[in-house]
Coordinates of all heavy atoms in Angstrom, one line a residue:
M4 N 0.8 -1.2 0.0 CA 0.0 0.0 0.0 C 0.9 1.2 0.0 O 1.9 1.2 0.6 CB -0.9 -0.1 1.3 CG -1.8 1.0 1.4 SD -3.1 0.6 2.7 CE -2.5 -0.5 3.8
F5 N 0.5 2.2 -0.8 CA 1.3 3.5 -0.8 C 0.3 4.7 -1.1 O -0.8 4.5 -1.4 CB 2.4 3.4 -1.8 CG 1.9 3.4 -3.2 CD1 1.8 4.5 -4.0 CD2 1.6 2.2 -3.8 CE1 1.4 4.5 -5.3 CE2 1.2 2.1 -5.1 CZ 1.1 3.3 -5.9
I6 N 0.8 5.9 -0.9 CA 0.1 7.1 -1.1 C 0.6 7.7 -2.4 O 1.8 8.0 -2.5 CB 0.1 8.0 0.1 CG1 -0.5 7.4 1.3 CG2 -0.5 9.4 -0.3 CD1 -0.7 8.2 2.5
R7 N -0.4 7.9 -3.3 CA 0.0 8.6 -4.6 C -0.3 10.1 -4.5 O -1.3 10.5 -4.0 CB -0.9 8.0 -5.7 CG -0.7 8.6 -7.1 CD -1.6 8.0 -8.1 NE -1.2 6.6 -8.3 CZ -2.1 5.6 -8.6 NH1 -3.3 5.9 -8.8 NH2 -1.6 4.4 -8.7
N8 N 0.7 10.8 -4.9 CA 0.6 12.3 -5.0 C 0.0 12.6 -6.3 O 0.6 12.4 -7.4 CB 2.0 12.8 -4.8 CG 2.1 14.3 -5.1 OD1 1.1 15.0 -5.4 ND2 3.3 14.9 -4.9
R9 N -1.1 13.3 -6.3 CA -1.9 13.6 -7.6 C -1.8 15.1 -7.9 O -2.5 15.6 -8.7 CB -3.3 13.2 -7.4 CG -3.6 11.8 -7.2 CD -5.1 11.4 -7.3 NE -5.6 11.6 -8.6 CZ -6.4 12.6 -9.0 NH1 -6.8 13.5 -8.1 NH2 -6.8 12.7 -10.3
L10 N -0.8 15.8 -7.3 CA -0.8 17.3 -7.5 C -0.6 17.6 -9.0 O -1.4 18.5 -9.5 CB 0.4 17.9 -6.7 CG 0.6 19.4 -6.9 CD1 -0.7 20.1 -6.5 CD2 1.8 19.9 -6.1
S11 N 0.3 17.0 -9.7 CA 0.4 17.3 -11.1 C -0.8 17.0 -11.9 O -1.2 17.8 -12.8 CB 1.7 16.6 -11.7 OG 1.5 15.2 -11.7
I12 N -1.5 16.0 -11.6 CA -2.7 15.6 -12.3 C -3.8 16.6 -12.0 O -4.5 17.1 -12.9 CB -3.2 14.2 -11.9 CG1 -2.2 13.1 -12.3 CG2 -4.6 13.9 -12.5 CD1 -2.3 11.8 -11.7
L13 N -3.9 17.0 -10.8 CA -4.9 18.0 -10.4 C -4.7 19.3 -11.0 O -5.6 20.0 -11.4 CB -5.0 18.1 -8.8 CG -6.1 18.9 -8.2 CD1 -7.5 18.4 -8.6 CD2 -6.0 18.9 -6.7
M14 N -3.4 19.7 -11.1 CA -3.1 21.0 -11.7 C -3.5 21.0 -13.2 O -4.1 21.9 -13.7 CB -1.6 21.3 -11.6 CG -1.1 21.7 -10.2 SD 0.7 21.8 -10.1 CE 1.1 23.0 -11.3
A15 N -3.3 19.9 -13.9 CA -3.6 19.7 -15.3 C -5.2 19.8 -15.4 O -5.7 20.5 -16.3 CB -3.1 18.4 -15.8
E16 N -5.9 19.1 -14.5 CA -7.3 19.2 -14.6 C -7.9 20.6 -14.4 O -8.9 20.9 -14.9 CB -7.9 18.2 -13.5 CG -7.7 16.8 -13.8 CD -8.1 15.9 -12.6 OE1 -8.5 16.4 -11.5 OE2 -8.0 14.7 -12.8
K17 N -7.2 21.4 -13.6 CA -7.6 22.7 -13.3 C -7.1 23.8 -14.3 O -7.3 25.0 -14.2 CB -7.1 23.2 -11.9 CG -7.6 22.3 -10.7 CD -9.0 22.7 -10.3 CE -9.4 21.9 -9.1 NZ -10.7 22.3 -8.6
G18 N -6.3 23.3 -15.2 CA -5.7 24.2 -16.3 C -4.6 25.0 -15.8 O -4.2 26.0 -16.4
I19 N -3.9 24.6 -14.8 CA -2.7 25.2 -14.3 C -1.5 24.6 -15.0 O -1.2 23.4 -14.8 CB -2.6 25.1 -12.8 CG1 -3.8 25.8 -12.1 CG2 -1.3 25.8 -12.3 CD1 -3.9 25.5 -10.6
R20 N -0.8 25.3 -15.8 CA 0.2 24.8 -16.7 C 1.6 24.6 -16.1 O 2.4 23.9 -16.7 CB 0.3 25.7 -18.0 CG -1.0 25.6 -18.8 CD -1.0 26.5 -20.0 NE -0.7 27.9 -19.6 CZ -1.6 28.8 -19.4 NH1 -2.9 28.5 -19.4 NH2 -1.3 30.1 -19.0
S21 N 1.9 25.3 -15.0 CA 3.2 25.2 -14.5 C 3.3 25.4 -13.0 O 2.3 26.0 -12.4 CB 4.1 26.2 -15.2 OG 3.7 27.5 -14.8
V22 N 4.4 25.0 -12.4 CA 4.6 25.3 -11.0 C 4.7 26.8 -10.7 O 4.2 27.3 -9.7 CB 5.9 24.5 -10.5 CG1 6.2 25.0 -9.1 CG2 5.7 23.0 -10.6
S23 N 5.3 27.5 -11.7 CA 5.4 29.0 -11.6 C 4.0 29.6 -11.5 O 3.8 30.5 -10.7 CB 6.1 29.5 -12.8 OG 7.5 29.1 -12.7
E24 N 3.1 29.1 -12.3 CA 1.7 29.6 -12.3 C 1.0 29.4 -11.0 O 0.4 30.2 -10.4 CB 0.9 29.0 -13.4 CG -0.5 29.6 -13.6 CD -1.3 29.0 -14.7 OE1 -0.7 28.3 -15.6 OE2 -2.5 29.2 -14.8
L25 N 1.2 28.1 -10.4 CA 0.6 27.8 -9.1 C 1.2 28.6 -8.0 O 0.5 29.2 -7.2 CB 0.8 26.3 -8.8 CG 0.3 25.8 -7.5 CD1 -1.2 26.0 -7.4 CD2 0.6 24.3 -7.3
H26 N 2.6 28.8 -8.1 CA 3.2 29.7 -7.1 C 2.7 31.1 -7.1 O 2.5 31.7 -6.1 CB 4.8 29.6 -7.3 CG 5.5 30.2 -6.2 ND1 6.2 31.4 -6.3 CD2 5.7 29.8 -4.9 CE1 6.8 31.7 -5.2 NE2 6.5 30.7 -4.3
R27 N 2.5 31.6 -8.3 CA 2.0 33.0 -8.4 C 0.6 33.1 -7.9 O 0.2 34.0 -7.2 CB 2.0 33.3 -9.9 CG 2.0 34.8 -10.2 CD 2.2 35.2 -11.7 NE 2.0 34.1 -12.7 CZ 3.0 33.4 -13.2 NH1 4.3 33.6 -12.9 NH2 2.7 32.5 -14.1
M28 N -0.3 32.0 -8.1 CA -1.6 32.0 -7.5 C -1.6 32.0 -6.0 O -2.4 32.7 -5.4 CB -2.4 30.8 -8.0 CG -2.7 30.8 -9.5 SD -3.3 29.2 -10.1 CE -4.8 29.1 -9.3
I29 N -0.6 31.3 -5.4 CA -0.5 31.2 -4.0 C -0.1 32.6 -3.4 O -0.7 33.1 -2.5 CB 0.5 30.2 -3.6 CG1 0.0 28.8 -3.9 CG2 0.9 30.3 -2.1 CD1 1.0 27.7 -3.8
E30 N 0.9 33.2 -4.1 CA 1.3 34.6 -3.6 C 0.2 35.6 -3.8 O 0.1 36.5 -3.0 CB 2.6 35.0 -4.3 CG 3.8 34.2 -3.9 CD 5.1 34.6 -4.6 OE1 5.0 35.1 -5.7 OE2 6.1 34.4 -3.9
D31 N -0.5 35.5 -4.9 CA -1.6 36.5 -5.1 C -2.7 36.4 -4.1 O -3.4 37.4 -3.9 CB -2.2 36.3 -6.5 CG -1.3 36.7 -7.7 OD1 -0.3 37.3 -7.4 OD2 -1.6 36.3 -8.8
R32 N -2.8 35.3 -3.4 CA -3.8 35.2 -2.4 C -3.2 35.6 -1.0 O -3.9 35.4 0.0 CB -4.3 33.7 -2.3 CG -5.2 33.3 -3.4 CD -6.6 33.8 -3.4 NE -7.4 33.3 -2.3 CZ -8.1 32.3 -2.3 NH1 -8.2 31.5 -3.3 NH2 -8.8 32.0 -1.2
G33 N -2.0 36.0 -1.0 CA -1.4 36.4 0.3 C -0.9 35.3 1.1 O -0.6 35.4 2.3
L34 N -0.8 34.1 0.5 CA -0.3 32.9 1.2 C 1.1 32.7 0.9 O 1.7 33.3 -0.1 CB -1.2 31.7 0.8 CG -2.7 31.8 1.1 CD1 -3.4 30.7 0.4 CD2 -2.9 31.9 2.6
T35 N 1.8 31.8 1.6 CA 3.2 31.6 1.4 C 3.5 30.1 1.2 O 2.9 29.2 1.9 CB 4.1 32.1 2.5 OG1 3.7 31.5 3.7 CG2 4.0 33.6 2.6
M36 N 4.4 29.8 0.3 CA 4.9 28.5 0.1 C 6.1 28.6 -0.8 O 6.1 29.4 -1.8 CB 3.9 27.5 -0.6 CG 4.4 26.1 -0.7 SD 3.1 25.0 -1.5 CE 1.7 25.3 -0.5
S37 N 7.2 28.0 -0.5 CA 8.4 28.1 -1.3 C 8.2 27.5 -2.6 O 7.6 26.4 -2.8 CB 9.6 27.6 -0.6 OG 9.7 26.2 -0.6
R38 N 8.9 28.0 -3.6 CA 8.9 27.5 -5.0 C 9.6 26.1 -4.9 O 9.1 25.2 -5.6 CB 9.6 28.5 -5.9 CG 9.9 28.0 -7.3 CD 8.6 27.7 -8.0 NE 8.9 26.9 -9.2 CZ 9.1 27.4 -10.4 NH1 9.1 28.7 -10.6 NH2 9.4 26.6 -11.4
R39 N 10.6 26.0 -4.1 CA 11.3 24.7 -4.0 C 10.3 23.6 -3.5 O 10.4 22.5 -4.0 CB 12.5 24.8 -3.1 CG 13.3 23.6 -2.9 CD 14.5 23.8 -2.0 NE 15.0 22.6 -1.5 CZ 16.0 21.9 -2.0 NH1 16.5 22.4 -3.2 NH2 16.5 20.9 -1.5
T40 N 9.5 23.9 -2.5 CA 8.6 22.9 -2.0 C 7.6 22.5 -3.1 O 7.3 21.3 -3.3 CB 7.8 23.6 -0.8 OG1 8.7 23.8 0.3 CG2 6.7 22.6 -0.3
L41 N 7.1 23.5 -3.8 CA 6.2 23.2 -4.9 C 6.9 22.3 -6.0 O 6.3 21.3 -6.5 CB 5.7 24.4 -5.6 CG 4.5 25.1 -4.9 CD1 4.2 26.4 -5.6 CD2 3.3 24.3 -4.7
D42 N 8.1 22.6 -6.3 CA 8.8 21.8 -7.3 C 9.0 20.4 -6.8 O 8.7 19.4 -7.6 CB 10.2 22.4 -7.5 CG 10.3 23.6 -8.5 OD1 9.4 23.7 -9.3 OD2 11.2 24.4 -8.3
K43 N 9.3 20.2 -5.6 CA 9.5 18.8 -5.0 C 8.2 18.1 -5.0 O 8.2 16.9 -5.4 CB 10.1 18.9 -3.6 CG 11.5 19.3 -3.6 CD 12.0 19.6 -2.2 CE 12.3 18.2 -1.5 NZ 12.9 18.4 -0.2
L44 N 7.1 18.7 -4.7 CA 5.8 18.1 -4.6 C 5.3 17.7 -6.1 O 4.9 16.6 -6.3 CB 4.8 18.9 -3.9 CG 5.0 19.2 -2.4 CD1 4.0 20.2 -1.9 CD2 5.0 17.9 -1.7
Y45 N 5.5 18.7 -7.0 CA 5.0 18.5 -8.3 C 5.8 17.3 -9.0 O 5.2 16.5 -9.7 CB 5.2 19.8 -9.1 CG 4.8 19.6 -10.6 CD1 3.5 19.8 -10.9 CD2 5.7 19.3 -11.6 CE1 3.1 19.7 -12.2 CE2 5.3 19.2 -12.9 CZ 4.0 19.4 -13.2 OH 3.6 19.3 -14.5
N46 N 7.1 17.3 -8.7 CA 8.0 16.2 -9.4 C 8.0 14.9 -8.6 O 8.8 14.0 -8.9 CB 9.4 16.8 -9.6 CG 9.4 17.9 -10.6 OD1 8.9 17.6 -11.7 ND2 9.8 19.1 -10.3
N47 N 7.2 14.8 -7.5 CA 7.1 13.6 -6.7 C 8.4 13.2 -6.1 O 8.7 12.0 -6.0 CB 6.5 12.5 -7.6 CG 5.2 12.0 -7.1 OD1 4.8 12.2 -5.9 ND2 4.5 11.3 -7.9
V48 N 9.2 14.1 -5.6 CA 10.4 13.8 -4.9 C 10.4 14.1 -3.5 O 11.4 14.1 -2.8 CB 11.6 14.5 -5.6 CG1 11.9 13.9 -7.0 CG2 11.5 16.0 -5.6
S49 N 9.2 14.4 -3.0 CA 9.0 14.7 -1.5 C 8.4 13.5 -0.8 O 7.5 12.8 -1.4 CB 8.1 15.9 -1.4 OG 8.0 16.2 0.0
N50 N 8.9 13.2 0.4 CA 8.4 12.1 1.1 C 7.2 12.4 2.1 O 6.6 11.6 2.6 CB 9.5 11.4 1.9 CG 10.5 10.7 1.1 OD1 10.2 10.4 -0.1 ND2 11.7 10.5 1.6
R51 N 7.0 13.7 2.2 CA 6.0 14.1 3.2 C 5.3 15.4 2.7 O 5.9 16.2 2.0 CB 6.5 14.3 4.6 CG 7.5 15.4 4.7 CD 8.0 15.5 6.2 NE 8.7 16.8 6.4 CZ 8.0 17.9 6.7 NH1 6.8 17.9 6.9 NH2 8.7 19.0 6.9
F52 N 4.1 15.6 3.2 CA 3.4 16.9 3.1 C 3.2 17.5 4.4 O 2.7 16.9 5.4 CB 2.0 16.6 2.5 CG 1.9 16.5 1.0 CD1 2.3 15.4 0.3 CD2 1.4 17.6 0.2 CE1 2.2 15.3 -1.1 CE2 1.3 17.5 -1.1 CZ 1.7 16.4 -1.8
D53 N 3.5 18.8 4.5 CA 3.2 19.5 5.7 C 1.7 19.9 5.8 O 1.1 20.1 4.7 CB 4.1 20.8 5.7 CG 3.9 21.7 6.9 OD1 4.5 21.3 8.0 OD2 3.2 22.7 6.8
M54 N 1.1 19.9 6.9 CA -0.3 20.2 7.1 C -0.6 21.6 6.5 O -1.6 21.8 5.8 CB -0.8 20.1 8.5 CG -0.6 18.8 9.1 SD -1.8 17.6 8.4 CE -3.1 17.8 9.6
D55 N 0.2 22.6 6.7 CA 0.0 23.9 6.2 C 0.1 23.9 4.7 O -0.7 24.6 4.0 CB 1.0 24.9 6.8 CG 0.7 25.2 8.2 OD1 -0.4 25.0 8.7 OD2 1.7 25.7 8.9
T56 N 1.0 23.1 4.1 CA 1.2 23.0 2.7 C -0.1 22.4 2.1 O -0.6 23.0 1.1 CB 2.4 22.1 2.3 OG1 3.5 22.7 2.8 CG2 2.5 21.9 0.9
L57 N -0.6 21.4 2.7 CA -1.8 20.8 2.2 C -3.0 21.7 2.2 O -3.8 21.9 1.3 CB -2.2 19.5 3.0 CG -1.5 18.2 2.6 CD1 -1.8 17.1 3.6 CD2 -1.8 17.8 1.2
A58 N -3.1 22.5 3.3 CA -4.2 23.4 3.5 C -4.1 24.5 2.4 O -5.1 24.9 1.8 CB -4.2 24.0 4.9
T59 N -2.9 25.0 2.2 CA -2.7 26.1 1.2 C -3.1 25.5 -0.2 O -3.8 26.2 -1.0 CB -1.3 26.6 1.2 OG1 -1.0 27.2 2.4 CG2 -1.0 27.6 0.1
L60 N -2.7 24.3 -0.6 CA -3.0 23.8 -1.9 C -4.5 23.5 -2.0 O -5.0 23.8 -3.1 CB -2.2 22.5 -2.1 CG -0.7 22.6 -2.3 CD1 0.0 21.2 -2.3 CD2 -0.4 23.4 -3.5
C61 N -5.1 23.1 -1.0 CA -6.6 22.9 -1.0 C -7.3 24.2 -1.2 O -8.3 24.2 -2.0 CB -7.1 22.2 0.3 SG -6.6 20.4 0.3
V62 N -6.9 25.3 -0.6 CA -7.5 26.6 -0.8 C -7.3 27.0 -2.2 O -8.3 27.4 -2.9 CB -7.0 27.6 0.2 CG1 -7.4 29.0 -0.1 CG2 -7.4 27.3 1.6
I63 N -6.1 27.0 -2.7 CA -5.8 27.5 -4.0 C -6.5 26.7 -5.1 O -7.0 27.2 -6.1 CB -4.3 27.6 -4.2 CG1 -3.6 28.5 -3.3 CG2 -3.9 27.9 -5.7 CD1 -4.1 30.0 -3.4
L64 N -6.4 25.4 -5.0 CA -7.0 24.5 -6.0 C -8.5 24.1 -5.8 O -9.1 23.4 -6.6 CB -6.2 23.2 -6.0 CG -4.7 23.3 -6.4 CD1 -3.9 22.0 -6.2 CD2 -4.6 23.8 -7.8
D65 N -9.1 24.7 -4.7 CA -10.5 24.5 -4.4 C -10.8 23.0 -4.4 O -11.6 22.5 -5.2 CB -11.4 25.2 -5.4 CG -12.8 25.2 -5.0 OD1 -13.1 25.1 -3.8 OD2 -13.7 25.2 -5.9
C66 N -10.1 22.3 -3.5 CA -10.2 20.8 -3.5 C -10.1 20.3 -2.0 O -9.9 21.1 -1.1 CB -9.2 20.2 -4.4 SG -7.5 20.3 -3.7
Q67 N -10.2 19.0 -1.9 CA -10.0 18.4 -0.6 C -8.7 17.6 -0.6 O -8.1 17.3 -1.7 CB -11.2 17.4 -0.4 CG -12.5 18.0 -0.2 CD -12.6 18.9 1.0 OE1 -12.2 18.5 2.1 NE2 -13.1 20.1 0.8
V68 N -8.2 17.3 0.6 CA -6.9 16.6 0.7 C -6.9 15.3 -0.2 O -6.0 15.0 -0.8 CB -6.6 16.3 2.2 CG1 -5.4 15.4 2.3 CG2 -6.4 17.6 3.0
G69 N -8.0 14.6 -0.2 CA -8.2 13.4 -0.9 C -8.1 13.6 -2.4 O -7.9 12.6 -3.2
D70 N -8.2 14.8 -2.9 CA -8.0 15.1 -4.3 C -6.6 15.1 -4.7 O -6.2 14.9 -5.8 CB -8.7 16.4 -4.7 CG -10.2 16.3 -4.5 OD1 -10.8 15.3 -4.7 OD2 -10.8 17.4 -4.1
I71 N -5.7 15.5 -3.7 CA -4.3 15.6 -3.9 C -3.6 14.3 -3.6 O -2.7 13.9 -4.3 CB -3.7 16.7 -3.0 CG1 -4.4 18.1 -3.4 CG2 -2.2 16.8 -3.2 CD1 -4.0 19.2 -2.4
L72 N -4.0 13.6 -2.5 CA -3.3 12.4 -2.0 C -4.3 11.3 -2.2 O -5.5 11.4 -1.8 CB -2.9 12.5 -0.6 CG -1.9 13.7 -0.3 CD1 -1.6 13.7 1.2 CD2 -0.6 13.5 -1.1
E73 N -3.9 10.1 -2.7 CA -4.7 9.0 -2.9 C -4.1 7.7 -2.3 O -2.9 7.4 -2.6 CB -5.0 8.8 -4.4 CG -5.7 7.6 -4.8 CD -5.8 7.4 -6.3 OE1 -4.9 7.9 -7.0 OE2 -6.8 6.8 -6.7
L74 N -4.8 7.0 -1.5 CA -4.3 5.7 -1.0 C -4.4 4.6 -2.1 O -5.6 4.4 -2.6 CB -5.0 5.3 0.3 CG -4.6 4.0 0.9 CD1 -3.1 4.1 1.4 CD2 -5.5 3.7 2.1
V75 N -3.4 4.0 -2.4 CA -3.4 2.9 -3.4 C -3.0 1.6 -2.8 O -2.0 1.5 -2.1 CB -2.4 3.2 -4.6 CG1 -2.4 2.1 -5.6 CG2 -2.7 4.6 -5.2
K76 N -3.9 0.6 -2.9 CA -3.7 -0.7 -2.3 C -2.8 -1.5 -3.2 O -2.7 -1.3 -4.4 CB -5.0 -1.4 -2.1 CG -5.9 -0.7 -1.1 CD -7.2 -1.4 -0.9 CE -8.0 -0.5 0.1 NZ -9.4 -0.9 0.1
D77 N -2.1 -2.4 -2.7 CA -1.1 -3.2 -3.4 C -1.6 -3.9 -4.7 O -1.0 -4.1 -5.7 CB -0.4 -4.3 -2.5 CG 0.5 -3.6 -1.5 OD1 1.0 -2.5 -1.8 OD2 0.7 -4.2 -0.4
S78 N -2.9 -4.2 -4.6 CA -3.5 -5.0 -5.8 C -3.8 -4.1 -7.0 O -4.1 -4.6 -8.1 CB -4.8 -5.6 -5.3 OG -5.7 -4.6 -4.9
E79 N -3.7 -2.8 -6.8 CA -4.0 -1.8 -7.9 C -2.7 -1.6 -8.8 O -1.7 -1.3 -8.4 CB -4.5 -0.5 -7.4 CG -5.9 -0.7 -6.8 CD -6.5 0.6 -6.3 OE1 -6.2 1.7 -6.9 OE2 -7.2 0.6 -5.3

């Protein structure tokens, strides 16, 4: 069993073409998140999500945590 990071898929579904665009959307709302953090999450090289990071992404992407992270069972 593992957790799949769906951030890049969700961004595509929402029409967000790049990490730079998402970062700009975050800053425009007066929220903060480093570009490096976004890069790591987008490229699936991060092992963890910070609660504040998840909350910020959910606000910006108008979604729930389960839209970003998905539990995948071994049989899938």
Side-chain angles (χ1 to χ4, degrees):
M4 183 164 26
F5 67 96
I6 296 188
R7 178 180 295 147
N8 171 356
R9 297 187 70 252
L10 179 60
S11 61
I12 297 165
L13 188 58
M14 285 172 58
E16 291 172 354
K17 302 274 184 176
I19 301 168
R20 294 177 303 270
S21 67
V22 172
S23 294
E24 184 178 348
L25 180 59
H26 190 249
R27 203 168 18 258
M28 292 169 68
I29 291 168
E30 288 183 333
D31 288 350
R32 292 283 298 268
L34 301 169
T35 59
M36 184 180 304
S37 77
R38 170 63 194 267
R39 179 178 164 92
T40 295
L41 281 176
D42 281 332
K43 289 173 74 174
L44 296 174
Y45 181 85
N46 292 304
N47 242 342
V48 293
S49 182
N50 291 340
R51 66 178 195 86
F52 273 79
D53 181 76
M54 298 289 271
D55 291 336
T56 298
L57 279 173
T59 297
L60 290 172
C61 286
V62 166
I63 297 302
L64 298 171
D65 189 30
C66 68
Q67 296 294 313
V68 173
D70 297 323
I71 300 171
L72 302 176
E73 174 184 28
L74 179 63
V75 178
K76 297 179 181 167
D77 290 333
S78 61
E79 293 181 34

